[in-house]
Amino acid sequence: WRENVCADNRKFPPDFKFGIATASYQIEGGWDADGKGENIWDHLTHQTNLVKDHSTGDITCDSYHKSKEDLALLKDLGVDFYRFSLSWARILPTGYIDGQINEAGIRYYEDILSELEKHGIEAMVTLYHWDLPQKLQDDFGGVLNDTFIDVFANYAQLAFELFGSRVKYWVTFNEPFIICQQGYENGNKAPAITKAPGIDLYTCAHVVLKAHAKVYHIYDTFYRKTQKGKIGLVLNTDWFEPASGDPKDLEASERQLQFQFGWFAHPIVYGNYPQVMIDRIGERSIREGFKTSRLPKFTNSEIEEIKGTFDFIGLNHYTTTLTRWKEDEAIGKPESLKDISVEVFKNPFWEGSASSWLKVVPWGIRRISKWIKDTYKNPELIITENGYSDVGGIFDDSRRINYYREYLSNVLEAIYDDGVNITAYTAWSFMDNFEWLEGYTEKFGLFSVNFTDPARPRTPKSSVNYFKNVTKTKCVVEQCL
Ligand code: PNW
């Protein structure tokens, strides 16, 4: 079948784009350099023992001081675009627009954008990849408070003003599911507040969705015409494969997808949460003794405001999980997993990676893409992250090459055989970096970084050559050269 994939008509379309991704806290370092403010990840890594190897992002890849060098490597990779995020507290140290504006931070991003422009690489900029200014967390509880909406909108508008003429794609939030579910339910991400399971995560999502919509409209109304970019939201999900052909397992798979992807996709496409979430959370809340649903309600005008707020949907996809129907959980202390009530597990035969959750299941990316096409009226879909982790120190990373080849080949099938409107693909990640609570124990980079050397030298792994061939030939197998 590989020859097949290699045939001319199986190349990616001529206007299909390839990019590679990073996030500010994971690569920049310079955590307090030149006036940058503290953010919730600085706070978590300095004040808690939650990171596995007790590491921090204080220096990490030191990209704050090495961006010229990094941009040269990007140029050499041949990517069409670079996906990176802005460190909010580097631009606005307190998070507020009426606080101090940090010129050094602005210059840092301006330099990156001019280098990209010089090299003919487009910019995809994420406004929020999890590093909230700590002051906003302290002052009003961050994303749990409606105050966040205007504060975020002011920051976003500043970013449009400063950088928008050179940004082709804007992303408001990276993975609201993770922000809310891990930040406020299981404690796997900052601010790791787990006081109100089954409640806070839904409040968080409600605020994030309203903030997203507000910023979409600001861009749409004031900047789109002159800046000519696109703006969207990045959502993460596994493909959830039914464990059997039993209709109940199909129902479980669909419910799991609705509670994860639909939680955010349904509002931005149709204006409100998926009915299955409204029904199940509402009903359980009442039985638990709440007066109203733990899932907040949008007003009619909010529904109108949120509906249609995307030019593209970004998909971060890494792996697949099996789902099996199970009996609804007994009523007790609220918990979001009880709201879903689906059994999830992995096939033990699937190839693993350095991340316990990441199994190599290439056909999953084709199925999730098709599901999104069918469920959300065939939106423009951009794969904003996809990648494979190892433990580091592996330069001949044939497992990673295999992962990319097989996943990309399934993306081709999604495009040509299923008619999914996928316009771009982004590999995670440009270089090894700080993998959140896993610290430096899981490495996703195409470039290796030596974290024990103060100069943080970058070394290409074999996957760099592979990816170069892909960007050059738009084909996933070597024979296309
Ligand atoms: C993404 N999951 O998060 C993030 O956007 C990156 O910052 C991160 O480094 C990368 O994936 C690798 O983990 C994810 O549970 C978090 O399936 C969780 C999952 C997937 C992606």
Side-chain angles (χ1 to χ4, degrees), residues 5 7 39 75 115 177 194 205 243 248 333 346 371 393 413 453 478:
V5 170
N39 63 46
K75 165 81 183 157
E115 282 295 297
F177 177 85
T194 55
K248 287 194 148 173
K333 224 172 138 295
K346 301 279 183 181
W371 182 84
E413 287 172 7
D453 184 333
E478 294 80 352

Side-chain angles (χ1 to χ4, degrees), residues 26 129 174-175 178 238 318 357 385 428 435-436 444:
Q26 295 181 276
H129 199 125
N174 181 68
E175 304 184 350
I178 301 289
D238 296 358
Y318 290 84
W357 53 272
E385 286 180 28
W428 181 272
E435 178 57 16
W436 311 110
F444 283 83

Side-chain angles (χ1 to χ4, degrees), residues 7 66 112 120 146 192 273 284 299 302 311 323 350 358 403 423 439:
K66 292 169 73 75
I112 292 176
D146 274 345
Y273 295 116
R284 289 184 70 86
T299 64
E302 285 169 346
D311 300 319
T323 52
W350 287 340
L358 203 175
Y403 179 99
T423 57

Side-chain angles (χ1 to χ4, degrees), residues 91-245:
I91 297 169
L92 298 172
T94 62
Y96 297 106
I97 191 94
D98 44 6
Q100 208 199 330
I101 297 191
N102 186 30
E103 294 298 332
I106 292 172
R107 227 173 304 122
Y108 173 62
Y109 294 114
E110 277 177 345
D111 287 350
I112 292 176
L113 289 166
S114 18
E115 282 295 297
L116 287 173
E117 202 171 35
K118 213 167 77 192
H119 294 325
I121 301 171
E122 291 176 344
M124 178 185 286
V125 178
T126 306
L127 289 165
Y128 188 81
H129 199 125
W130 308 352
D131 44 1
L132 183 77
Q134 181 63 33
K135 180 108 172 72
L136 306 181
Q137 190 69 43
D138 294 341
D139 280 5
F140 57 80
V143 287
L144 289 192
N145 191 319
D146 274 345
T147 303
F148 175 85
I149 300 165
D150 284 338
V151 177
F152 179 70
N154 289 337
Y155 154 63
Q157 181 150 10
L158 176 67
F160 297 152
E161 284 289 335
L162 292 170
F163 310 128
S165 62
R166 292 187 285 191
V167 175
K168 177 79 194 202
Y169 302 95
W170 287 101
V171 171
T172 53
F173 291 92
N174 181 68
E175 304 184 350
F177 177 85
I178 301 289
I179 296 171
C180 299
Q181 211 272 337
Q182 301 199 356
Y184 289 94
E185 176 100 356
N186 75 8
N188 264 323
K189 295 284 181 291
I193 293 171
T194 55
K195 287 194 297 239
I199 297 170
D200 280 355
L201 81 164
Y202 297 129
T203 310
C204 166
H206 210 65
V207 173
V208 166
L209 280 162
K210 287 191 278 187
H212 161 81
K214 173 147 195 168
V215 166
Y216 175 91
H217 287 296
I218 289 173
Y219 189 79
D220 195 48
T221 310
F222 301 111
Y223 298 96
R224 181 193 296 286
K225 243 214 178 105
T226 50
Q227 302 189 343
K228 301 185 169 66
K230 293 185 174 190
I231 180 163
L233 179 61
V234 163
L235 305 178
N236 69 295
T237 187
D238 296 358
W239 166 245
F240 292 98
E241 174 74 7
S244 81

Side-chain angles (χ1 to χ4, degrees), residues 30 76 81 89-90 108 119 130 201 203 223 256 267 297 319 336 354 363 395 438 444:
D76 193 48
F81 65 95
R90 196 180 291 292
Y108 173 62
H119 294 325
W130 308 352
L201 81 164
T203 310
Y223 298 96
Q256 178 68 41
K297 276 196 184 60
T319 193
S336 67
W363 45 265
F395 294 92
E438 312 306 323
F444 283 83

Side-chain angles (χ1 to χ4, degrees), residues 356-367:
S356 59
W357 53 272
L358 203 175
K359 307 294 177 195
V360 182
V361 192
W363 45 265
I365 200 167
R366 178 176 173 184
R367 293 197 187 178

